[in-house]
Each structure stands twice: as structure tokens, then as C-alpha cells.
Amino acid sequence: MTALSRSSSRRRGPAPVDFELASLLGFVIFRLSSSLGGLAERDAQEVAGLTLPEYRCLVVLATRGDMGVTPLCQVMHIDKAWISRTLAKLAQAGLVSSIPNPDDARRTIFSVTPRGRQTSQALIARAMDRQARMLEGFDGEDVERLLELLRRMQENADRAKGP
């Protein structure tokens, strides 16, 4: 028997340990994140014909104020090219506008237009309704505890990634 056939035969047998994918925290969180993202994207499509990144970018600008690409990247944890394309689509749709940064003419500041503000308010209202549905059956203490545990978990993940 060759090393390749021995390796192949080992992969066909049962796993050496009792393992269930759904018991992994990463899988559970990924599945929940996919569900929540899908619901958010459905709302974004229904309200304004936006994709999930467009929706998120618009809401960040509407709630945090005018900013350039780099701060948006930091807030959203998304790369510059993706943010730039998303902002271009939002500008084309008349939801955001841009002006040169007065401190650095090579950079641009983006802001929400009146139409973008109205759209973001409708999206935020849907988000709050969606969140209320997801937290049905949880009391205020449960929600605070859940958020605290998730924040701590994110801190652990950030430390694991390293510098």
C-alpha cells in the first residue's frame, strides 16, 4: 500500500473524535451573521434597492457624520477599494455627495444628501424593527449580557490575530 492510498483510506473512515460542526462557536456565529445579513439586505433592497455594503456605508455616514474613505474603512472593517466603489454607487444614486478635503486636496469628504438622509432613516427604522424581532424573549439584562459577552469574544479574537 502506498502512502497516498493509506492517506486516502484514512480519510474515508469515521473522524477520530466525536465532532459536530454546529458545536463550533465560529459556525454558529457565521450562520447567525449570514441570517442577519440576509435580512438586512432584503430590507435594503425593499427600501432603496441597495446592497448590504451600500446600506451599511450610507447608515454609517448618516449616523457618524461626514468622513473620508479611510475613516469609513476603519469603522466598517472593509478595504479601501470596496469602500470607494460603494461610495461611487451611492453618489450615482444621489444618496451621498462629495467635496475635496479642505486639509488635503488629494482626499475627499463624503456626506449624506437630503435624499440619503431620508433613505437612511427608513433603513434605520427597519433595522430597529429587525433587531427587536431577533431579541424577542430576551429581557434587558439578557441583551446587555449578550452584548458584553460578544464584545469580550471580539477582543479575544482581535488579540488572537495579533498586531
Side-chain angles (χ1 to χ4, degrees), residues 97-155:
S97 61
S98 63
I99 59 167
N101 185 330
D103 299 328
D104 184 349
R106 297 169 298 168
R107 300 192 186 279
T108 303
I109 301 289
F110 293 88
S111 60
V112 177
T113 64
R115 182 172 169 229
R117 180 135 338 266
Q118 182 179 19
T119 301
S120 67
Q121 289 170 348
L123 291 168
I124 290 168
R126 286 271 189 113
M128 298 309 292
D129 288 343
R130 187 173 55 253
Q131 181 161 303
R133 285 192 315 272
M134 295 305 109
L135 294 173
E136 255 178 49
F138 291 76
D139 65 27
E141 205 171 287
D142 288 338
V143 173
E144 287 304 314
R145 181 75 175 139
L146 174 62
L147 291 174
E148 175 58 26
L149 292 170
L150 291 171
R151 279 187 209 102
R152 285 175 40 202
M153 196 176 305
Q154 183 62 58
E155 289 170 5

Side-chain angles (χ1 to χ4, degrees), residues 20 37 44 46 51-52 55 58 63 65 68 78 86 88-89 91 93 99 108 110 132 136-137 139-140 142 153 155 160:
E20 177 61 41
E46 289 175 5
T51 65
L52 188 57
Y55 152 73
L58 179 65
T63 58
I78 298 175
T86 301
K89 289 176 185 175
I99 59 167
T108 303
F110 293 88
E136 255 178 49
D139 65 27
D142 288 338
M153 196 176 305
E155 289 170 5

Side-chain angles (χ1 to χ4, degrees), residues 70-79 82-83 154 158 161:
T70 300
L72 268 169
C73 291
Q74 293 166 344
V75 169
M76 296 180 64
H77 302 278
I78 298 175
D79 69 79
W82 196 9
I83 292 286
Q154 183 62 58
D158 291 343
K161 285 191 288 189

